[in-house]
Amino acid sequence: MIVRVTPDAFSPTEALEAFGAGDARAGACASFIGRCRGEGVHWLELEHYPGYTEAEIARLAAATAEKFQLLDLLVIHRVGRVAPGEPIVLVAALSAHRRDAFAAIEQLMDYLKTDAPFWKREMRGDGAHWIEPNSEDRQRRERHGQ
């Protein structure tokens, strides 16, 4: 399992090409790439608590990997300033079967949206706005339990 929190831009394509390469047990690799939305947004800034944020994401990822019996799991999450169109997050799940890989991606993304210790702020033309999970985000998260 790989969990990386980074201020650096990353290439989802390169990360996915290297992930799970050569694992003959894998029948599926599902992935999700989240990007910074650009409509009216100059940039998104993500703050975190170094060390704690990585540990908490690793805890959430390990629980997800165990629940869905994943062969491997990859999480890359940006911090700092992210420009519109740039990737913010990549989550990839390697599994024997596609159903588990897709379900794991959905659950982990819902966890990241609501439980991961990030503080997000969008800069728009009218100033900075803090971003919080909404009720729909929380409802999706509650479906997964834990």
Side-chain angles (χ1 to χ4, degrees), residues 46-114:
L46 294 100
E47 297 178 15
H48 76 301
Y49 185 178
Y52 177 72
T53 299
E54 292 86 347
E56 186 62 10
I57 293 172
R59 183 186 70 77
L60 297 168
T64 300
E66 183 177 336
K67 178 178 179 179
F68 295 102
Q69 300 178 332
L70 299 180
L71 301 171
D72 207 353
L73 188 59
L74 169 68
V75 180
I76 302 174
H77 207 298
R78 289 280 304 274
V79 292
R81 191 174 285 188
V82 181
E86 287 186 334
I88 299 169
V89 62
L90 167 64
V91 175
L94 198 64
S95 175
H97 304 284
R98 72 175 184 263
R99 184 177 326 176
D100 292 330
F102 283 127
I105 295 296
E106 180 179 22
Q107 176 175 298
L108 189 52
M109 281 308 306
D110 288 341
Y111 282 173
L112 290 174
K113 183 77 172 181
T114 59

Side-chain angles (χ1 to χ4, degrees), residues 3 5 14 18-19 21 31 36-37 52-53 67 73-75 80 82 84 93 97 101 115 117 128 144:
V3 172
V5 175
E14 289 176 15
F19 178 67
S31 64
C36 178
R37 286 183 284 247
Y52 177 72
T53 299
K67 178 178 179 179
L73 188 59
L74 169 68
V75 180
V82 181
H97 304 284
D115 294 18
H144 305 295

